[in-house]
Amino acid sequence: MVNKMKPATAHYLILGSFCLAFYSGCTSYKFLESEHHPRTWKKLFLVHHWPVTVCKMSENDCKDPPQYWTIHGLWPDKVDECNRTWHFNVTEIKDLLPDMRHYWPDILHSSPNRTQFWKHEWEKHGTCAATVEPLNSQKKYFGRTLDLYQKLDLNSCLLKVGIKPSSTYYQMTAIKEALTSVYGVTPKVQCLPPEEGEEVQTIGQIEFCFTKDLELRNCTHSEAESYVMPNNWHFGPEELSVCNDTLTYYPAQVQFYN
Ligand SMILES: *[C@@H]1O[C@H](CO)[C@@H](O)[C@H](O)[C@H]1NC(C)=O
Ligand SMILES: *[C@@H]1O[C@H](CO)[C@@H](O)[C@H](O)[C@H]1NC(C)=O
Ligand SMILES: *[C@@H]1O[C@H](CO)[C@@H](O)[C@H](O)[C@H]1NC(C)=O
Ligand SMILES: *[C@@H]1O[C@H](CO)[C@@H](O)[C@H](O)[C@H]1NC(C)=O
Ligand SMILES: *[C@@H]1O[C@H](CO)[C@@H](O)[C@H](O)[C@H]1NC(C)=O
């Protein structure tokens, strides 16, 4: 580990002052849809992942990961693989491909024509999300996910509150408080646990929750929603889990240890 532990105080101060200043700039989301179809799930997770951490978790060779948060998926809670006969068809999303490649890349398999990651996301999650009208085709599912991602604009908002990749560690509570103050909802943040002999976790995923009507909601669940999302896309031997309120590394580049 080359980085020395540094005080996180500076980031606290920066966060505090920037949050108020930029509050209004990052809140232009509101998705009004009202459809009334039978549904078996209650909320959607729009999952962003940090490509550098994804690379770090993988045994695969992963070169030059993007330096921005990319889409992992849009996942309904409670259900998966809802329609095994509704096959992924890349032709249906051909108009979206430039945006897909940029914002929803397969971090671990960089060939631009690989569609395996999108196929997996569609079959596992898209076929379930498709029970609501705004997401009921491949074009709508992928297109709406891209829209939500662009409306949330997580990359700009993180920069505006002073959270950027750094060799300095952050307090997880500061990151969570900043996100909550910017978006007005509690996201779910996932980390890679510390390496052997280390104490610092690494941020890996930021998930925002949406209602069935595609409105932003808190990720905190009510008593009735006690379901643990299985980790569905195995990158390697290591797994993400909900971050602890400890020092957190937000790495700028992949560093391989050992
Ligand atoms: C599953 O998908 C196929 C192909 O789109 C469709 O014809 C069928 O009605 C779907 N089944 C269910 C239960 O939604
Ligand atoms: C894939 O989608 C395209 C465009 O909608 C359609 O023409 C084609 O038949 C589909 N292919 C399969 C295998 O369903
Ligand atoms: C990748 O896809 C593009 C556009 O669909 C196509 O023009 C190109 O030939 C493909 N490349 C490979 C290596 O298949
Ligand atoms: C959080 O703490 C628990 C209990 O010590 C541990 O099992 C888990 O791996 C930690 N998670 C992370 C992301 O470090
Ligand atoms: C999210 O939770 C906070 C605090 O519990 C609450 O003030 C806020 O209204 C909730 N937001 C939404 C959109 O439910």
Side-chain angles (χ1 to χ4, degrees):
M1 187 86 190
V2 286
N3 297 296
K4 294 282 184 302
M5 192 178 297
K6 293 174 192 162
T9 332
H11 284 296
Y12 261 118
L13 295 175
I14 294 166
L15 290 176
S17 55
F18 276 77
C19 282
L20 285 174
F22 289 97
Y23 180 78
S24 57
C26 300
T27 51
S28 56
Y29 52 79
K30 193 79 180 172
F31 303 94
L32 296 169
E33 296 287 342
S34 52
E35 289 296 325
H36 301 282
H37 287 265
R39 289 151 183 158
T40 50
W41 47 268
K42 288 250 189 301
K43 62 173 181 278
L44 292 159
F45 295 88
L46 176 61
V47 183
H48 301 73
H49 57 189
W50 180 243
V52 175
T53 304
V54 175
C55 283
K56 188 178 163 178
M57 291 165 67
S58 170
E59 292 172 318
N60 298 36
D61 194 15
C62 171
K63 292 196 188 76
D64 302 323
Q67 293 286 312
Y68 50 89
W69 289 82
T70 60
I71 301 169
H72 186 168
L74 184 68
W75 303 345
D77 65 347
K78 297 190 170 69
V79 285
D80 58 38
E81 287 188 16
C82 295
N83 186 343
R84 287 165 201 256
T85 63
W86 198 349
H87 300 298
F88 178 69
N89 178 352
V90 73
T91 312
E92 303 241 336
I93 59 165
K94 62 179 189 305
D95 299 343
L96 304 174
L97 289 179
D99 280 350
M100 291 293 292
R101 291 192 185 107
H102 191 65
Y103 300 119
W104 201 331
D106 183 343
I107 304 300
L108 301 180
H109 313 99
S110 56
S111 161
N113 287 11
R114 276 195 60 131
T115 59
Q116 202 62 30
F117 183 39
W118 304 330
K119 177 179 190 293
H120 169 87
E121 291 298 312
W122 167 255
E123 290 172 355
K124 186 122 193 176
H125 306 290
T127 56
C128 299
T131 52
V132 296
E133 193 279 335
L135 303 171
N136 68 2
S137 70
Q138 297 184 45
K139 184 161 192 182
K140 286 182 178 179
Y141 174 72
F142 288 103
R144 270 313 178 95
T145 305
L146 290 166
D147 288 347
L148 294 172
Y149 169 87
Q150 285 177 302
K151 292 265 171 66
L152 281 177
D153 202 9
L154 176 63
N155 288 292
S156 305
C157 286
L158 284 172
L159 286 176
K160 284 171 181 171
V161 296
I163 301 173
K164 46 180 184 275
S166 170
S167 55
T168 307
Y169 301 136
Y170 292 87
Q171 288 290 352
M172 179 47 60
T173 47
I175 294 178
K176 286 197 289 201
E177 280 164 18
L179 289 169
T180 302
S181 71
V182 165
Y183 291 103
V185 289
T186 308
K188 183 174 158 193
V189 188
Q190 292 195 301
C191 288
L192 196 56
E195 309 254 316
E196 287 276 317
E198 297 285 338
E199 284 171 12
V200 181
Q201 62 190 354
T202 303
I203 193 166
Q205 289 195 153
I206 298 178
E207 307 179 8
F208 286 94
C209 292
F210 288 87
T211 64
K212 294 167 289 184
D213 301 321
L214 304 185
E215 288 184 59
L216 208 47
R217 55 158 281 174
N218 285 312
C219 285
T220 43
H221 47 258
S222 65
E223 303 282 307
E225 303 172 330
S226 55
Y227 173 80
V228 179
M229 197 73 192
N231 193 333
N232 72 331
W233 182 254
H234 295 279
F235 290 103
E238 298 177 273
E239 299 284 339
L240 294 172
S241 57
V242 172
C243 302
N244 292 313
D245 288 337
T246 58
L247 285 180
T248 305
Y249 184 34
Y250 180 8
Q253 61 223 346
V254 186
Q255 290 172 336
F256 292 100
Y257 307 100
N258 310 321

